Amino acid sequence: MQNKFTKESFFQLFGHINVFFATIDFIVTLVIYRLLKFENFKNIPVNEKTTLKQKFRILKDVKAENVYDLNALKKINEFIDEAIEISEKRNRFIHDQWLFAPDLINVGKIGRLNLNKISKCSFTPQQETHTYEELVEFINKLGNMEKVISEVF
């Protein structure tokens, strides 16, 4: 009997996660450029180095007098806290080391190794285990976020 889970199963999930994050990041940038009255800012608050989390914080902190569309701002405020929470996971999912251990993969799990800072210049590795189902649930959250943000745009 062939195993239901393979490395490729998880690679597919990571592909979905990366594409969703890239799409959300792009759409959020467009929302910012279409929503904000840039003449009210000393500098344009978004550039190529602005992270997704920073972009969501810009949207969270923007004042009503600095936007063209108050209804869009109201819609954004309905989901912004969840969006910030999800965006905080982006770097971990993209930059941490995923451990494709056969004993975990065979049972629908995967390890993720990250570095936790324990002092100014010292880190310790820490492994977390994620299930296939958890990753699918996360992808569904990203899909819902993309849908909501696209509706604002």
Side-chain angles (χ1 to χ4, degrees), residues 74-126:
K74 287 177 186 174
K75 287 180 186 175
I76 289 167
N77 286 330
E78 291 173 5
F79 68 83
I80 198 68
D81 290 330
E82 181 182 7
I84 290 170
E85 180 183 322
I86 289 173
S87 72
E88 290 173 346
K89 297 179 181 181
R90 180 200 171 275
N91 283 356
R92 298 291 47 97
F93 274 85
I94 293 176
H95 297 296
D96 284 348
Q97 178 64 51
W98 291 95
L99 306 171
F100 291 85
D103 59 322
L104 289 176
I105 296 292
N106 288 339
V107 294
K109 296 180 181 179
I110 189 164
R112 182 171 59 89
L113 189 63
N114 60 43
L115 295 176
N116 288 327
K117 189 173 185 177
I118 57 175
S119 70
K120 184 175 181 180
C121 56
S122 180
F123 295 85
T124 184
Q126 178 182 350

Side-chain angles (χ1 to χ4, degrees), residues 102-151:
D103 59 322
L104 289 176
I105 296 292
N106 288 339
V107 294
K109 296 180 181 179
I110 189 164
R112 182 171 59 89
L113 189 63
N114 60 43
L115 295 176
N116 288 327
K117 189 173 185 177
I118 57 175
S119 70
K120 184 175 181 180
C121 56
S122 180
F123 295 85
T124 184
Q126 178 182 350
Q127 181 176 336
E128 295 179 10
T129 302
H130 298 273
T131 67
Y132 187 89
E133 291 77 16
E134 288 171 350
L135 295 174
V136 168
E137 184 179 316
F138 187 66
I139 288 169
N140 290 334
K141 283 184 179 182
L142 290 172
N144 289 335
M145 182 189 299
E146 179 191 22
K147 181 178 184 253
V148 170
I149 293 167
S150 295
E151 290 170 356

Side-chain angles (χ1 to χ4, degrees), residues 21-36 46 50-59 76 79-80 83 145-146 149-150 153:
F21 272 128
T23 303
I24 290 166
D25 193 296
F26 182 77
I27 295 169
V28 169
T29 302
L30 292 176
V31 167
I32 288 171
Y33 276 107
R34 292 184 79 187
L35 184 65
L36 299 187
V46 177
T50 310
T51 67
L52 180 59
K53 181 179 173 182
Q54 290 168 330
K55 291 173 187 177
F56 280 130
R57 291 218 180 270
I58 288 166
L59 289 173
I76 289 167
F79 68 83
I80 198 68
M145 182 189 299
E146 179 191 22
I149 293 167
S150 295
F153 179 69

